[in-house]
Amino acid sequence: MDNILQTSHLAKTIKGRDLVTDVNIHVRKGEIYGFLGPNGAGKTTVMRMLTNLWRPTGGVIELFGEKMEPGSYQMLGRMGSIIEFPAFYENLTGRKNLWLHCEYMGYYHHGSIEEALEMLQLAEAADQPVKNYSLGMKQRLGIARAILCRPELLILDEPTNGLDPAGLKQNRELFRTLSREYEMTIFLSSHLLSEVEDIADTIGIIHQGKTLREISMKDITKMNTAYIELSVDNVRQASRILSDQLSLDRFKVTDGSEIRIYTENIETSEISRALAQSGVGLHAISRKTETLEDYYLSVTEGAERL
């Protein structure tokens, strides 16, 4: 079984409103899959259907090689998930909440609760009521609960919400460990593209209820284009100099003051000198490489123009 999770033309309509119209995703066993899209694109709707909380209006979901049906409860025992914000019994302690989850799942592996608390750095707060937890601590407790029963597949909706920089770093390391050492497959959504870029093996981009692209991070890296970025006080005049004096034709204006030059055959010093001699103010110039954010924006902005 190559794909532990896949969908075909997945759709969901509620009260005449199309939330998702055509979602096709393919998640390989053992990988980290980043599911990207703007707010309202349909990410949470898809995750609700993947966890059998909502029934699809159309299309097919396959999990662990089997088609998901309304009564497919057994396969849910092989999954862990956070959909939107995790909910707990607020007056009970973090440890007690995890114990109840084990009872619910029928999972009685000795030491699993302590291990999950340690992995999420919640051991010291384990015996405090959850109502005293910060937003970030509740998010970490939600992840602890999701991984508690050693699921084969983790489905995490914005797992970085409420986390500070230290928590984000901890999450990155945790997800790598779960994927590489525990062989868990992780399907996660996030609005922090830099976080996904650091850990994902594959990304899927959803926009206006449709998947636009699935691509491996390795392929994005191969496609990455080196460019020179400069910030000037007169974009129009600078563009004329690049074209007429320096004979450059592969450049574009990215906003009111910035230009990107897509060529490796010119030195930044030559550009700076030509601009200075023509009286164009140069605020900054540097060589850069396109990121996941650049790729993501090029795909979604292209879809907007269609």
Side-chain angles (χ1 to χ4, degrees):
M1 177 178 59
D2 292 332
N3 293 328
I4 197 170
L5 160 63
Q6 63 183 38
T7 70
S8 176
H9 304 297
L10 193 62
K12 181 64 178 179
T13 301
I14 296 181
K15 296 181 179 179
R17 182 185 172 204
D18 294 329
L19 302 181
V20 165
T21 55
D22 190 15
V23 170
N24 303 278
I25 53 180
H26 306 82
V27 183
R28 293 190 301 274
K29 183 177 175 63
E31 75 171 344
I32 300 177
Y33 187 108
F35 195 43
L36 306 178
N39 291 336
K43 299 189 299 297
T44 299
T45 298
V46 170
M47 290 184 161
R48 284 174 175 162
M49 289 189 284
L50 296 180
T51 52
N52 222 1
L53 295 174
W54 283 2
R55 294 181 62 180
T57 305
V60 175
I61 299 171
E62 290 185 39
L63 281 167
F64 311 111
E66 298 181 19
K67 181 180 177 181
M68 178 181 279
E69 303 288 356
S72 298
Y73 302 118
Q74 187 173 3
M75 64 176 61
L76 299 181
R78 302 166 68 181
M79 298 164 53
S81 65
I82 298 177
I83 307 299
E84 295 188 301
F85 192 75
F88 303 99
Y89 293 99
E90 294 279 324
N91 291 321
L92 299 182
T93 66
R95 189 191 309 279
K96 188 68 172 179
N97 270 276
L98 296 186
W99 180 83
L100 285 173
H101 183 70
C102 286
E103 289 288 314
Y104 171 76
M105 296 293 292
Y107 185 82
Y108 304 104
H109 188 276
H110 179 71
S112 60
I113 292 176
E114 296 306 318
E115 182 182 26
L117 290 168
E118 288 288 346
M119 291 181 75
L120 274 299
Q121 297 184 8
L122 287 169
E124 292 185 5
D127 296 312
Q128 296 178 23
V130 171
K131 64 183 179 183
N132 295 337
Y133 283 21
S134 66
L135 176 62
M137 291 171 68
K138 289 179 179 178
Q139 192 71 11
R140 283 187 281 139
L141 185 63
I143 297 172
R145 184 173 63 189
I147 69 173
L148 184 58
C149 300
R150 296 286 182 87
E152 296 171 56
L153 172 64
L154 269 178
I155 296 181
L156 304 175
D157 187 14
E158 296 281 358
T160 57
N161 277 348
L163 298 182
D164 57 19
L168 293 174
K169 181 176 183 295
Q170 178 192 359
N171 259 19
R172 287 197 300 271
E173 295 171 351
L174 173 64
F175 294 151
R176 290 191 189 105
T177 298
L178 293 175
S179 175
R180 309 305 184 240
E181 298 181 18
Y182 291 80
E183 298 183 341
M184 288 187 194
T185 305
I186 302 175
F187 181 84
L188 63 88
S189 70
S190 178
H191 65 283
L192 298 176
L193 299 187
S194 59
E195 292 300 307
V196 173
E197 185 173 27
D198 281 345
I199 62 170
D201 300 300
T202 302
I203 65 160
I205 298 175
I206 181 173
H207 187 69
Q208 296 179 349
K210 299 179 181 180
T211 45
L212 300 180
R213 200 73 53 86
E214 278 189 311
I215 186 170
S216 72
M217 284 301 304
K218 287 183 179 178
D219 286 341
I220 291 178
T221 300
K222 291 177 184 176
M223 291 165 43
N224 276 354
T225 305
Y227 62 90
I228 297 171
E229 184 174 83
L230 53 147
S231 176
V232 296
D233 62 5
N234 189 324
V235 168
R236 182 174 296 181
Q237 186 181 355
S239 297
R240 283 199 301 267
I241 293 165
L242 296 177
S243 177
D244 299 341
Q245 293 187 26
L246 299 177
S247 300
L248 299 176
D249 56 6
R250 295 184 62 237
F251 66 87
K252 69 177 181 180
V253 177
T254 57
D255 65 19
S257 64
E258 292 185 354
I259 300 175
R260 288 185 180 179
I261 303 170
Y262 295 93
T263 181
E264 298 179 356
N265 299 323
I266 190 168
E267 296 295 328
T268 55
S269 58
E270 185 178 352
I271 298 170
S272 302
R273 184 164 54 251
L275 294 174
Q277 290 173 350
S278 300
V280 176
L282 179 63
H283 304 308
I285 184 168
S286 60
R287 289 190 180 273
K288 295 186 176 181
T289 302
E290 287 189 335
T291 62
L292 173 59
E293 181 178 10
D294 296 314
Y295 179 81
Y296 169 82
L297 290 174
S298 70
V299 171
T300 54
E301 287 172 359
E304 290 284 358
R305 290 193 290 269
L306 294 178

